[in-house]
Amino acid sequence: MSKTLFITSALYLLSHNAFAQECAINFNYGVIIDPNHIRIVEQSKTQVQINNEHQLFIQGRELALSSEQQQLLAQFSAGIRQQLPEMVSIAIEGVDIGLKAANEVIGGLTGENSSSQQKVQAKFDELKWRIRARFNQSANNYYIAPQDFNDFDEMFAGEFEQEIEEIISNSIGTILKAVGQSLLAEGSHDETGNGEQRIATFDQRLTGIEQGLQLEVTQRAKALDEKASLFCLQLTALDQIEHDLHKVIPELALYNIIETKN
């Protein structure tokens, strides 16, 4: 039992802190993107709107842009369109590392495609769908609220934290129940009454699951960390493009969308 508790405790920590890459950047406004528009929003009101990469409106008034201004605006728009979907993907993948690990433990103990595993997997799938829907309402439509990117885990999973904890807690219950049922089932067919041997065999099984998960989780977390580091670098570069844009369009300088912390 101690081995099971060790694994499930580790899975809880993984699900809660699978990804905590820091990114010293703020979005000072809400950002909404769809295939034809980018809107910069403050308190539900659109302050800046970019249409089709080159047409700029500030508080509903269109600004006539030179070729240089249009070029910088197009670069900035392209960066926003690339980075918003990327940050959603990173956050969901971080949550998925812990949930997938818990699901694999359940599958290893109760059997692949067992009713227990299918039930938990359905809850995981529903949760991930709702996290994605929170930021990606439909195809190519995204919304990010004003926020600090210091902790992706908190930013995306924070409002779902209690639900994630409940799923993991229920998973732990399923694992412990599976352990008890397996030992009882093996005992009913074991005429030697060697309970210690059954426990030792089960402990070896858990050890194999644990070792496999440690390798997989470590590899996935490392890859995700590298992806997040690249994301932060790209967002910093986008902040520089915005800075250049403010120089050539002074009216836009009133709206500092991306802020890089020193």
Side-chain angles (χ1 to χ4, degrees):
M1 287 293 186
S2 60
K3 177 69 72 173
T4 305
L5 290 173
F6 173 80
I7 293 178
T8 51
S9 296
L11 291 178
Y12 176 84
L13 293 174
L14 282 169
S15 70
H16 193 65
N17 295 303
F19 179 61
Q21 170 72 37
E22 290 189 356
C23 193
I25 295 174
N26 284 355
F27 262 36
N28 294 318
Y29 296 85
V31 180
I32 300 172
I33 63 174
D34 64 42
N36 299 314
H37 311 91
I38 295 175
R39 293 195 288 139
I40 310 306
V41 179
E42 183 179 37
Q43 296 180 349
S44 302
K45 293 183 179 180
T46 298
Q47 302 296 325
V48 177
Q49 181 166 317
I50 303 169
N51 293 353
N52 299 313
E53 311 291 318
H54 63 272
Q55 191 177 24
L56 177 64
F57 293 81
I58 297 180
Q59 293 189 346
R61 183 175 66 88
E62 183 178 3
L63 273 64
L65 303 179
S66 66
S67 297
E68 179 190 5
Q69 291 169 328
Q70 287 185 358
Q71 183 178 6
L72 273 173
L73 186 66
Q75 289 181 29
F76 183 69
S77 299
I80 290 288
R81 290 188 179 280
Q82 177 183 355
Q83 296 309 315
L84 260 66
E86 180 68 9
M87 69 179 74
V88 173
S89 173
I90 287 172
I92 291 177
E93 189 173 347
V95 172
D96 186 55
I97 288 176
L99 298 183
K100 186 173 185 292
N103 189 50
E104 288 186 6
V105 169
I106 294 171
L109 292 173
T110 66
E112 291 294 330
N113 297 317
S114 67
S115 60
S116 297
Q117 187 190 35
Q118 289 178 5
K119 184 182 297 185
V120 174
Q121 182 62 53
K123 290 183 180 295
F124 289 167
D125 291 342
E126 180 187 355
L127 176 62
K128 286 187 290 183
W129 180 87
R130 288 196 290 108
I131 291 176
R132 183 175 292 278
R134 169 67 177 80
F135 302 97
N136 180 201
Q137 282 77 21
S138 58
N140 299 317
N141 288 262
Y142 292 86
Y143 169 70
I144 300 294
Q147 56 199 290
D148 186 332
F149 292 131
N150 266 348
D151 192 332
F152 285 96
D153 229 16
E154 289 300 318
M155 180 178 72
F156 285 87
E159 64 184 276
F160 299 95
E161 181 177 336
Q162 182 177 354
E163 190 169 354
I164 292 174
E165 290 178 359
E166 288 177 358
I167 292 176
I168 296 299
S169 295
N170 291 336
S171 299
I172 292 172
T174 300
I175 290 172
L176 294 177
K177 183 178 179 180
V179 171
Q181 290 177 340
S182 178
L183 291 175
L184 287 173
E186 291 178 12
S188 65
H189 296 90
D190 185 0
E191 297 179 355
T192 66
N194 192 350
E196 291 184 2
Q197 180 61 42
R198 293 197 303 273
I199 293 174
T201 300
F202 204 89
D203 189 66
Q204 291 174 359
R205 182 180 174 189
L206 290 175
T207 299
I209 295 172
E210 178 190 356
Q211 291 174 345
L213 279 177
Q214 284 179 341
L215 178 62
E216 179 183 355
V217 168
T218 298
Q219 290 175 339
R220 290 189 64 190
K222 182 180 179 181
L224 187 59
D225 199 55
E226 292 173 354
K227 184 186 296 186
S229 295
L230 178 60
F231 164 79
C232 287
L233 288 174
Q234 292 173 333
L235 210 57
T236 300
L238 188 58
D239 181 40
Q240 182 59 54
I241 294 175
E242 183 185 31
H243 181 69
D244 295 340
L245 194 58
H246 289 169
K247 289 181 180 179
V248 300
I249 307 178
E251 297 91 337
L252 196 57
L254 296 173
Y255 304 95
N256 186 27
I257 302 164
I258 303 171
E259 180 182 1
T260 302
K261 300 177 184 179
N262 295 324

